[in-house]
Amino acid sequence: MTQASVTPKAARRRHDREIVALAVPAFGALVAEPLFLMADSAIVGHLGTAQLAGLAVASALLTTAVSVFVFLAYATTAAVARRVGAGDLRAAIQQGMDGIWLALLLGAAVIAVVLPAAPAIVELFGASDTAAPYAVTYLRISALGIPAMLVVLAATGVLRGLQNAKTPLYVAVAGFVANAVLNLGLVYGAGLGIAGSAWGTVIAQVGMAAVYLVVVVRGARRHGASLRPDVAGIRACAQAGVPLLVRTLSLRAILMIATAVAARLGDADVAAHQIILSLWSLLAFALDAIAIAGQAIIGRYLGADDAQGARDVCRRMVQWGIAAGVILGMLVIATRPLYVPLFTSDQVVQDAALLALIVVAVSQPVCGIVYVLDGVLMGAGDGPYLAGAMLITLAIFTPVALLVPVLGGGLTAVWGTMALMMAVRMVTLWLRYRSGHWAVTGATR
C-alpha cells in the first residue's frame, strides 16, 4: 500500500498504535521511579523523625542531581531513533554506547565531588543538627550508586530510541521490588538503619544498570557495534546534551523560584504549595509519557527521511496531549476534596490548595500541548531552540512571580504565574512547530 493510498483514518490508527506502544510502558516506568523514594521514606520513617528528615535532605539532593542529567536519556533517545529510522542499527547502538560511556564519566565526576563535600552540601541545604549526620551518611553511600543511575538513564534512552519501551518498564518494576526488599532486610534485618536504606537502593540501582548493560551489549555484539569508548562519539553526546542541560536547569530554576515565593507568603501557603507540587509532578508523568513516545517516534521518522510523516504523527500527538490534559484537568477538579485532606487536616492549608488547584486544572490542556511539543523537538534534536525558549520563559516568569507577594493574590496567584509559564512555553514551542525548521531529516541532524 502506497503512502498516497493510506486513508486519513488508517493513518491515525497507525499513529495511535505507535504512540500507545511507547507511551503506556513509558508511563509505567515513570511512575515506578518515584516509588523508590516512597519506599525509602516509608521504611526509614519508622526509624525516627531525625532519620526521615536526613533522608528528605539527601534524597532532594540526589533527585536534583539525576534530573539535571536527564539529558542522557533524552538526547540518546533522539540520536538512536534517527539511526534506527535510517536503517543503521549498528550506528544506532554505537551512539547508545557513547551515551553510556558519557554517563559513567559524569557519574565518576559526581562521586569525586559529593564524597568529600557531603557535609558542606548538607549544611548548605539547611539540615538541622540532629538530621545532618543521617543526611551525610545517606548521601555519601547513595552517591556510589550515581554512575549506575546515570547508566540507567542513558541505556533507557538507547532502548526507547530502538522503539523498545517495555524493557525499561520491566526493569523499573523489578528495581522497585528489589529496592523495597533490600531496604527492609538491611534496615531492620541487618540493623544498619539509614545506611541500610542507602545500600539497598545502591544495590538495586547497580542491578538495574547491569541488566541494561547486558541488553545493550548483546545488541552491540549482534550488530557489530564497538564496546570501546570513542572520544569523538562521547564528545558529540556531551555537546548534544548541553542545550538540554540548559533547558532543564532553567526549568528547575522556575520551580525553585515558585517555591521561594510561596514560602514568603507564609507557612500555610507553602504547605499547600508542596501538596499541589506533588500533584503537578504526578500529572506530569502522564503527559511526559506521550512526550517520550514523541522523542522516539519523531527521531525515527526524521531518520527515515519522512518529514511529512513526522509532522503527521506530531499533529496526532498534540491531539492526544490536549485530550489527556482535558481529562486530567477534570479529574483534578473532581478529586480536589478527596485528595487534599489526605495530606493535611489544617483547614487554612486546605482552602489555599483547593482554590489554587482550579488554576492547575484549567492549565492542563496547555500542559498537554507543551509536553508533546517538547518531546517532538527533543526527538528532532532541536536542543538549542529548546534551551533558548526556556531561557525566554524564565526571563518572563521571574519578574512576574516575584511581584506576587507585592501585588497579592496568595498561592492562587503563584500558580497563576505557573500557568503563565506554561502558556509562554506553549507559544514558543508552537511557533517552532509551525515554522517546520525542526523537521531536519537524515541519520544525524
Side-chain angles (χ1 to χ4, degrees), residues 330-342 344 350 354 357:
M330 294 171 63
L331 286 174
V332 169
I333 293 292
T335 60
R336 283 185 311 148
L338 303 175
Y339 175 83
V340 176
L342 295 176
T344 179
Q350 288 187 24
L354 289 171
L357 279 171

Side-chain angles (χ1 to χ4, degrees), residues 44-60:
V44 171
H46 291 285
L47 294 174
T49 301
Q51 288 90 333
L52 184 59
L55 172 66
V57 172
S59 62

Side-chain angles (χ1 to χ4, degrees), residues 79-162:
V80 171
R82 273 186 176 270
R83 286 162 175 79
V84 168
D88 192 346
L89 289 179
R90 187 199 67 78
I93 296 176
Q94 184 64 60
Q95 179 77 41
M97 287 303 305
D98 292 337
I100 290 172
W101 279 111
L102 176 61
L104 287 170
L105 291 172
L106 291 173
V110 172
I111 288 179
V113 171
V114 171
L115 287 184
I121 295 172
V122 167
E123 183 180 357
L124 181 65
F125 270 68
S128 67
D129 291 341
T130 55
Y134 297 111
V136 171
T137 297
Y138 191 92
L139 183 59
R140 276 181 165 160
I141 296 172
S142 294
L144 300 176
I146 286 179
M149 295 166 68
L150 300 188
V151 166
V152 167
L153 286 177
T156 298
V158 175
L159 295 184
R160 287 173 178 165
L162 294 170

Side-chain angles (χ1 to χ4, degrees), residues 269 272 336 340 344 346-357 411-412:
D269 283 309
R336 283 185 311 148
V340 176
T344 179
D346 188 323
Q347 191 60 48
V348 176
V349 176
Q350 288 187 24
D351 291 343
L354 289 171
L355 190 58
L357 279 171
L411 189 64
T412 303

